[in-house]
Amino acid sequence: MVHECKSKRTVETALEILVGKWKPVILFHLIDQGTLRFSELQRLIPDVTKKMLTTQLRELEYHDIINRKVYAQIPPKVEYSITEYGEGLKPVLLSMHEWGLTHLDHLDDLYGESQETIEK
Amino acid sequence: MVHECKSKRTVETALEILVGKWKPVILFHLIDQGTLRFSELQRLIPDVTKKMLTTQLRELEYHDIINRKVYAQIPPKVEYSITEYGEGLKPVLLSMHEWGLTHLDHLDDLYGESQETIEK
DNA sequence: TATCGTAGTATACAAAAAGTAACCTAAGGA
DNA sequence: TCCTTAGGTTACTTTTTGTATACTACGATA
């Protein structure tokens, strides 16, 4: 049971950080690969625009979930990675992932919805 | 590590269900109290408007997270409760809650932000 | 007869989030 | 001299969310 002693805003606080159309995918890739450049993220997430990628990364950075490392080079090079603090989100993402798997099965059961399978 | 074999959309699927300004609070109260009437939810969540409460409840119902039981009475009586399937979200909410607690501490450390404490 | 309470709906509007398209920068290479 | 590259920014539009207010049906109560 969720205990309420401190504040009711804890779940919302976690959501605040996770919510954003591209944040889960970004975190997924950074957790998976460790460190990625801006352009690598762009390639891994084909539908994201530069603008959205930038804003989502900035928000994650603002919350100290990811690191942004700029190399003083031309052309520029910027690397993103999960912070130690951000690692703490893994259990959250994992439980959501687990639940998502079940939910997709549930949907399959209900509507026979076919879910795209993405290979590595 | 989050494994990608089935689909990347699992986390987003979970988020879809949880996201909405009032959904976490609604779920919180329903998990906490078991069954609640529309008006009881309104009283427990003072800032929510009828419209938002209705839409958020409908969305949760659509996803089979909560039950809506209508009594054929005047004045109307409608009761909401978590479905068995919806119970599966508890681990997700709990891990978010846990993370939220840590995050609030982290914020306290960084900015000394004071967080309102709500008593039961 | 007027008002109260329940669980809403309808309508209009405001604000926030997301998307589109074009532009910027400076170095190195053709 | 112009083009390319990487990682953006800016201005603008569209879509999604959320708010505010009014309204309904029906029976009970005063």
Side-chain angles (χ1 to χ4, degrees):
Chain A
M1 173 98 19
V2 179
H3 54 287
E4 182 172 9
C5 16
K6 180 157 187 184
S7 164
K8 282 179 186 165
R9 304 276 323 160
T10 48
V11 173
E12 282 90 339
T13 305
L15 276 175
E16 240 170 63
I17 277 163
L18 253 23
V19 168
K21 189 152 176 189
W22 308 99
K23 284 178 197 164
V25 216
I26 291 170
L27 291 173
F28 174 87
H29 285 299
L30 289 177
I31 286 170
D32 201 45
Q33 320 261 329
T35 297
L36 288 168
R37 298 180 62 171
F38 186 88
S39 50
E40 291 176 313
L41 282 166
Q42 262 194 112
R43 237 168 290 127
L44 289 166
I45 312 166
D47 291 342
V48 79
T49 60
K50 281 154 171 269
K51 189 206 167 190
M52 282 313 295
L53 189 52
T54 305
T55 54
Q56 304 274 295
L57 286 167
R58 288 294 140 82
E59 285 173 30
L60 290 169
E61 191 198 358
Y62 174 80
H63 289 292
D64 193 21
I65 306 303
I66 62 170
N67 280 126
R68 179 165 181 269
K69 189 174 179 186
V70 183
Y71 293 79
Q73 301 179 354
I74 300 276
K77 174 177 171 180
V78 180
E79 280 181 351
Y80 294 93
S81 56
I82 303 281
T83 60
E84 222 189 298
Y85 177 60
E87 297 272 331
L89 275 178
K90 274 190 192 178
V92 177
L93 289 165
L94 242 179
S95 69
M96 287 178 43
H97 176 72
E98 288 303 319
W99 190 86
L101 283 176
T102 318
H103 183 72
L104 292 176
D105 289 347
H106 190 76
L107 286 179
D108 286 353
D109 290 354
L110 286 175
Y111 316 111
E113 243 168 63
S114 67
Q115 201 59 27
E116 56 175 333
T117 301
I118 298 159
E119 340 194 11
K120 236 176 172 165
Chain B
M1 172 103 14
V2 180
H3 52 289
E4 182 174 11
C5 15
K6 181 159 187 185
S7 164
K8 282 180 188 164
R9 303 279 320 162
T10 49
V11 174
E12 282 90 338
T13 305
L15 277 175
E16 239 170 66
I17 278 164
L18 254 21
V19 169
K21 188 154 177 190
W22 310 99
K23 284 178 197 165
V25 217
I26 292 170
L27 290 173
F28 174 87
H29 286 299
L30 289 178
I31 286 170
D32 203 43
Q33 320 260 332
T35 296
L36 289 169
R37 296 181 60 174
F38 187 87
S39 53
E40 292 176 312
L41 281 166
Q42 260 194 114
R43 239 169 288 127
L44 289 166
I45 312 166
D47 291 342
V48 78
T49 59
K50 282 151 170 272
K51 189 200 168 193
M52 281 313 294
L53 188 52
T54 306
T55 53
Q56 304 272 296
L57 287 167
R58 289 294 141 82
E59 285 173 30
L60 290 169
E61 191 198 358
Y62 174 80
H63 289 292
D64 193 21
I65 306 303
I66 62 171
N67 280 126
R68 180 166 181 269
K69 189 174 179 184
V70 184
Y71 293 81
Q73 301 180 354
I74 299 273
K77 175 177 172 182
V78 180
E79 280 181 352
Y80 295 91
S81 56
I82 302 279
T83 60
E84 222 190 296
Y85 177 59
E87 296 273 332
L89 274 178
K90 273 190 191 178
V92 176
L93 289 165
L94 244 180
S95 69
M96 286 177 42
H97 176 72
E98 288 304 318
W99 188 86
L101 283 176
T102 318
H103 183 72
L104 292 175
D105 289 347
H106 189 76
L107 285 179
D108 286 353
D109 291 353
L110 286 174
Y111 317 111
E113 244 167 65
S114 68
Q115 202 58 27
E116 57 175 333
T117 301
I118 297 158
E119 340 194 13
K120 238 183 171 156

